[in-house]
Amino acid sequence: MSDPDLIAGVPADRLARLALREARRFAAARPLSQKALADGAAPWLGGVPMHWMKDWPMPFPLVVASAKGARLEDLDGFGIDDFCLGDTGSMFGHSPAPVARAIRQQARRGLTYMLPTEDALKAGRLLTERFGDFRWQIATTATDANRFALRVARAVTGRRKVLVFNGCYHGTVDDTMVALDNGRTVNRPGLVGQVTDLSDVAVSVEFNDIAAVEAALATGQIAAVLTEPVMTNSCMVLPRAGFHDGLRTLTRRYGALLIIDETHTISSGLGGYTRVHSLSPDIFVVGKCVAGGMPTAVWGLGPDVAARLAAYDETRPPGHSGMGTTLSANPMQFACLRATLSDVMTPKAYARMEKGARRLERGLAAVIARHKAPWHVVRVGARVEFICAPGPLTNGAEAAAAHQPRLEAVIHTMLLNRGCLIAPFHNMMLVSPATKKAQIDRLIAAFDETLSDLFA
């Protein structure tokens, strides 16, 4: 039975004292940031340009002056080792040189004109070389890409529902904003302005529960299974042995499509988890860092699905498809996509990222063991996460129970006050090709100092 005065092994009263101490330390050190926010934040709804900027646990947002490689500098002149990297958007480092050059060159040729370029044609070939034999389309965000992929799945199967996993993350696609509540699919709590019952179009089951997947597919209502290869944006959950083989076998048996969303798991290695582990999705989606930080996502249809979509298009009446946005597929995206695929997303870069992430994983695990914390560390390629609960976790329900927002908020602020930034959503850290060994060691030392205070 758990002690109500302990939060993941940390006394609640100690946590409250540390939270107050670290918040004061952060605020006292940043008078210029505070003044800039006081002078300029009022026109923004909630004081920030995007609401999730308030999800950082500090007393007020960090105001960034510049970023390069794996380092940030804030308005008050503090240099910060960046392990958040734009929540994967800058996974290969801030402003990789080939991407920065591509932006300068394309800016002289125009920013958008709704027509292809040579870069677009070359990027298509590079996408196939990196990720596999798909027929590609461009989008601005992975949310858009997933939304469009689901339209295709419903069109070619004639079915209405998508199967997603409890606790999943696929951007802000309405259909995926469901949860599992006592065996029932329900709308996730907290949705803004939600007026429809999403269980009409979605089914939620637990990750790694292949029997539940088959039961849902056997209804004949499922157009597609949409999944990340590893559950992220929660306390990270790895697939059990055979789980992905089971998904592929069952979707084929029951006539559903398999959509793999690699927006976070592109950290797994060259070509993403799909290439590293020889998965064979019908539709492949990846976004965030695929163009080096320029807002870009891609989605690709396997040749069979592309042929089925072409046949469907011949029979549908003329009119809007409901897919595509005006500024998607602009020449700046293609210039950056080509530069990233050819010169940034390389075997050498991934080898460096993997080596650094292993060092970080081992170091964090050693700190946890030394302080006898009831926590664990999990890694997927360049993506590392410490979880304030025993592990491994096997599904979304366990991941939700392992999440400790009060504790994690204090840890994040303590790490930042010691010069290290990690992602605000849970405890995710990325190692980029630009991340130096000294930066990794500084993060491990800051984590050790943090746990020394938490478990004093």
Side-chain angles (χ1 to χ4, degrees), residues 77-115:
F78 288 100
I80 300 161
D81 294 325
D82 186 7
F83 291 89
C84 173
L85 296 169
D87 192 25
T88 309
S90 293
M91 188 179 77
F92 298 109
H94 296 287
S95 298
V99 176
R101 284 195 300 270
I103 290 172
R104 289 194 297 269
Q105 292 165 3
Q106 184 58 49
R108 294 193 290 265
R109 299 193 293 260
L111 301 182
T112 189
Y113 26 76
M114 291 188 75
L115 289 165

Side-chain angles (χ1 to χ4, degrees), residues 193-212:
Q194 186 64 46
V195 296
T196 58
D197 181 356
L198 296 175
S199 66
D200 288 341
V201 293
V203 173
S204 178
V205 303
E206 289 291 4
F207 195 73
N208 279 320
D209 189 344
I210 204 69

Side-chain angles (χ1 to χ4, degrees), residues 118-132:
E118 277 194 294
D119 280 335
L121 303 178
K122 292 174 181 176
R125 185 187 72 248
L126 289 168
L127 284 168
T128 297
E129 289 176 4
R130 280 284 175 265
F131 299 115

Side-chain angles (χ1 to χ4, degrees), residues 88 142 146 169 228 261-266 285-289:
T88 309
N146 281 318
Y169 177 72
E228 293 184 280
D261 177 1
E262 290 259 23
T263 299
H264 281 161
T265 55
I266 193 172
V285 173
V286 66
K288 294 208 178 185
C289 64

Side-chain angles (χ1 to χ4, degrees), residues 159 163 210 213-214 217 222-226 244-259 280-282:
R159 300 173 181 178
L163 186 151
I210 204 69
V213 171
E214 180 162 23
L217 291 174
I222 306 299
V225 173
L226 171 58
H244 282 297
D245 288 341
L247 286 183
R248 182 66 282 187
T249 298
L250 291 174
T251 47
R252 285 176 173 152
R253 180 182 302 166
Y254 291 101
L257 300 186
L258 179 59
I259 307 173
S280 53
D282 298 298

